[in-house]
Amino acid sequence: MIEQDLVAMDYPARLKTLLEHRIGLWDVVAEAQRSGSLDSRIRDHASNDLNILIKTLANLAAIAFNGGMAVKIGMRALGETANQYRIVRLPSSSPAYAAVSYQTKLAGWRELREYLVD
């Protein structure tokens, strides 16, 4: 199973596995000011241009956002373009988001299974 394998992998191996399954990983924030690790502390951010990115991805079916701040920034950046894709709002994978159990987070992330390419 991909999620079990990813937990035990180092970062380069995780990226390789994502690519093998045709899953892209892109940060909605290019740069920002933030004190600490909480996304709620992001200030003065510059967004990556998601619309330019998705124009290069003819087979893109879904866009998933990792956590509430990513949803907020990403949806603002996409605007009406978001209506062309399945938008998946994932629970934050951050350890700082400890109010939600790992099992609950995993259940949310499993929604992406239907988009995996073997």
Side-chain angles (χ1 to χ4, degrees):
M1 239 177 213
I2 190 172
E3 71 260 5
Q4 290 174 337
D5 295 339
L6 284 175
V7 172
M9 292 180 186
D10 63 15
Y11 189 72
R14 288 179 188 193
L15 293 179
K16 182 177 182 271
T17 300
L18 291 173
L19 287 172
E20 287 170 355
H21 290 279
R22 297 181 52 173
I23 298 170
L25 183 63
W26 186 261
D27 200 326
V28 295
V29 175
E31 60 183 330
Q33 298 294 318
R34 175 170 66 176
S35 60
S37 62
L38 297 175
D39 285 351
S40 61
R41 298 218 152 181
I42 292 174
R43 302 288 182 265
D44 303 320
H45 74 276
S47 298
N48 278 315
D49 194 332
L50 295 176
N51 286 301
I52 287 178
L53 173 67
I54 63 176
K55 285 179 184 176
T56 68
L57 304 169
N59 296 322
L60 183 65
I63 300 171
F65 294 106
N66 179 11
M69 185 61 75
V71 170
K72 181 179 174 182
I73 294 169
M75 292 300 288
R76 186 179 317 130
L78 289 173
E80 292 298 315
T81 304
N83 295 329
Q84 299 172 29
Y85 302 94
R86 169 80 164 92
I87 302 297
V88 181
R89 292 165 172 85
L90 300 168
S92 175
S93 60
S94 171
Y97 190 52
V100 175
S101 72
Y102 172 79
Q103 290 302 321
T104 300
K105 290 180 185 183
L106 182 57
W109 279 76
R110 282 188 172 148
E111 187 175 342
L112 295 177
R113 281 183 173 173
E114 69 183 270
Y115 301 103
L116 291 178
V117 176
D118 289 320

